[in-house]
Amino acid sequence: MKKTIKKVVVAGGGLMGAGISLMFPEYGIETVLYSVAEKDFDKAGKVIDKSLAALVENGRLTRQIADEIKEKIQFTVDKKCFENADLVIEAIPEIMDLKKNFYEEVSELVPEDTILASNTSAISVNQLSEFVKFPERFCGTHFLNPPHIIPLVEITKGDKTDQAVCETLYTLFKDMGKEPVLLKKDVKGFLSNRLQFALLREATYLVEQGVADPEDIDRTIKYGNGLRYTCSGPFKIADLGGLSVFNSVAKYLYSDLSDEKSENHLLDELVEEGNNGISTGKGFYEYQESDLVNEEKTRDAMILGILKAEKELLA
Ligand SMILES: NC(=O)c1ccc[n+]([C@@H]2O[C@H](COP(=O)([O-])OP(=O)(O)OC[C@H]3O[C@@H](n4cnc5c(N)ncnc54)[C@H](O)[C@@H]3O)[C@@H](O)[C@H]2O)c1
């Protein structure tokens, strides 16, 4: 039976937890952001403030509603918050032992019918479900960054997940204006990260082979494939292009594509040298300190603009 969600606890006061938490108050759902340390809320508060500011600047919310949302989010390090939660969304670091301890402890704190959901980027839902008491109430809910702007949320059903749990979350997110996709079974990386990493594997292979620089590969996606991907996915694109062409190209090209099985060499080199991308000033590109704010602002404005244009065009 579907469950009514009146109270959500988002666990993990980091980038994703903060973004996920700000979506619920607008829909009358009591929202708690739980984290391990009070200091986490400095960062979480800043993420929430700048996310709400972007929604106001881009006409998605009024300033008044944005202020009300911020006021309604309860920040706490007190585990009592779990005692009457209808839904817990876990967004703690992607470290197996941390997740294991979290689920073993929180399973005991929440009522038996509380839905537990993980925002893990890639860890198997079946594997995590081993740490959950009553695993039928556990599933994956993978939001993409920035979660309050990107409509997609991947709901993954584990082998033990009750179908009603997935249906409850599907309806909840749909009612909140998201675009949930329900995976019929568990798979590492879910849909979006499998597709993203297949593309990244080929992109870095092309750089390694000296075919193009990261800039030109990014431009190829931004001004080519990416524009089509805002309208549809690979299957509709193939249907529109003609399946016989796609079939011939697949037969000719597949054996030439990267099938690297163990690691991404370019990523590995950069990380080994202490580079983490924009946050450390160097990744595939070089960055100044002000770039972080500007890149995020541009990204948020463009995504919100595209979504608004789509709504208006298809109205
Ligand atoms: N960053 C992304 O782009 C992104 C996108 C999609 C999914 N995810 C996934 O979301 C999850 C969180 O990622 P993030 O980038 O927000 O991480 P983060 O490091 O920014 O935040 C994690 C927060 O959880 C807190 N925390 C640690 N242990 C905790 C515990 N036991 N209980 C409560 N809080 C705890 C940390 O102090 C920190 O504030 C990960 O599983 C990650 O793979 C991340």
Side-chain angles (χ1 to χ4, degrees):
M1 210 176 68
K2 277 202 217 166
K3 187 176 164 66
T4 305
I5 305 297
K6 295 198 214 91
K7 176 178 172 182
V8 62
V9 176
V10 179
L15 181 69
M16 294 303 288
I20 293 168
S21 70
L22 69 85
M23 292 186 289
F24 293 96
E26 208 185 339
Y27 299 93
I29 297 168
E30 185 185 344
T31 308
V32 178
L33 183 59
Y34 164 82
S35 208
V36 269
E38 289 282 355
K39 69 171 172 42
D40 292 347
F41 300 132
D42 294 340
K43 181 180 170 191
K46 283 187 190 135
V47 171
I48 291 171
D49 286 343
K50 74 179 173 189
S51 303
L52 289 170
L55 294 175
V56 173
E57 273 164 34
N58 292 285
R60 164 69 181 75
L61 290 179
T62 63
R63 185 70 259 172
Q64 191 192 340
I65 292 177
D67 290 344
E68 283 167 14
I69 289 173
K70 176 79 190 289
E71 253 168 51
K72 285 181 181 159
I73 300 171
Q74 303 162 45
F75 298 81
T76 189
V77 291
D78 188 345
K79 290 177 185 150
K80 267 178 110 48
C81 66
F82 291 108
E83 284 174 7
N84 58 353
D86 297 308
L87 167 64
V88 174
I89 299 180
E90 169 269 308
I92 72 171
E94 193 84 336
I95 299 169
M96 191 63 90
D97 272 353
L98 279 185
K99 303 244 193 225
K100 177 178 185 288
N101 294 340
F102 175 86
Y103 284 112
E104 285 175 352
E105 185 178 19
V106 170
S107 289
E108 300 288 347
L109 298 174
V110 291
E112 279 182 23
D113 66 342
T114 298
I115 295 176
L116 301 179
S118 178
N119 187 52
T120 174
S121 303
I123 303 175
S124 148
V125 166
N126 285 340
Q127 201 173 348
L128 289 177
S129 78
E130 286 169 22
F131 314 133
V132 179
K133 191 172 169 189
F134 308 126
E136 57 276 13
R137 38 101 170 252
F138 176 71
C139 69
T141 49
H142 178 229
F143 292 86
L144 273 59
N145 185 41
H148 56 290
I149 291 179
I150 300 274
L152 179 71
V153 45
E154 298 178 274
I155 302 172
T156 300
K157 187 179 178 320
D159 290 347
K160 295 184 181 149
T161 313
D162 190 336
Q163 182 67 24
V165 164
C166 297
E167 283 166 14
T168 296
L169 295 181
Y170 189 96
T171 307
L172 171 71
F173 296 142
K174 196 83 191 161
D175 289 349
M176 290 167 60
K178 307 299 284 183
E179 281 295 335
V181 168
L182 181 55
L183 275 68
K184 293 179 201 156
K185 63 178 192 177
D186 185 29
V187 63
K188 283 182 195 170
F190 316 119
L191 303 181
S192 62
N193 269 329
R194 290 185 80 93
L195 295 167
Q196 170 164 255
F197 278 82
L199 181 59
L200 187 64
R201 174 168 63 183
E202 184 59 30
T204 43
Y205 176 71
L206 289 169
V207 173
E208 281 162 15
Q209 296 300 308
V211 178
D213 293 332
E215 289 86 344
D216 283 335
I217 293 177
D218 278 0
R219 287 176 61 240
T220 302
I221 296 296
K222 183 170 152 77
Y223 294 109
N225 309 55
L227 286 174
R228 294 199 306 209
Y229 284 142
T230 58
C231 308
S232 64
F235 297 112
K236 182 71 75 67
I237 288 172
D239 275 353
L240 289 173
L243 295 184
S244 57
V245 178
F246 273 74
N247 194 30
S248 304
V249 175
K251 284 181 182 164
Y252 179 72
L253 197 58
Y254 269 24
S255 62
D256 210 57
L257 298 177
S258 171
D259 59 356
E260 172 62 50
K261 280 287 180 202
S262 56
E263 63 179 25
N264 187 304
H265 303 294
L266 265 186
L267 268 183
D268 203 47
E269 263 170 44
L270 283 164
V271 173
E272 285 291 309
E273 287 163 9
N275 302 305
N276 196 39
I278 203 162
S279 62
T280 56
K282 188 172 182 321
F284 291 105
Y285 299 89
E286 308 261 343
Y287 300 93
Q288 307 299 321
E289 219 175 302
S290 56
D291 286 341
L292 180 56
V293 177
N294 295 335
E295 293 277 347
E296 278 183 353
K297 266 195 159 189
T298 308
R299 175 201 64 192
D300 290 359
M302 285 193 71
I303 299 172
L304 286 163
I306 288 165
L307 291 171
K308 189 165 170 240
E310 184 201 20
K311 222 180 201 173
E312 286 166 3
L313 272 170
L314 301 180

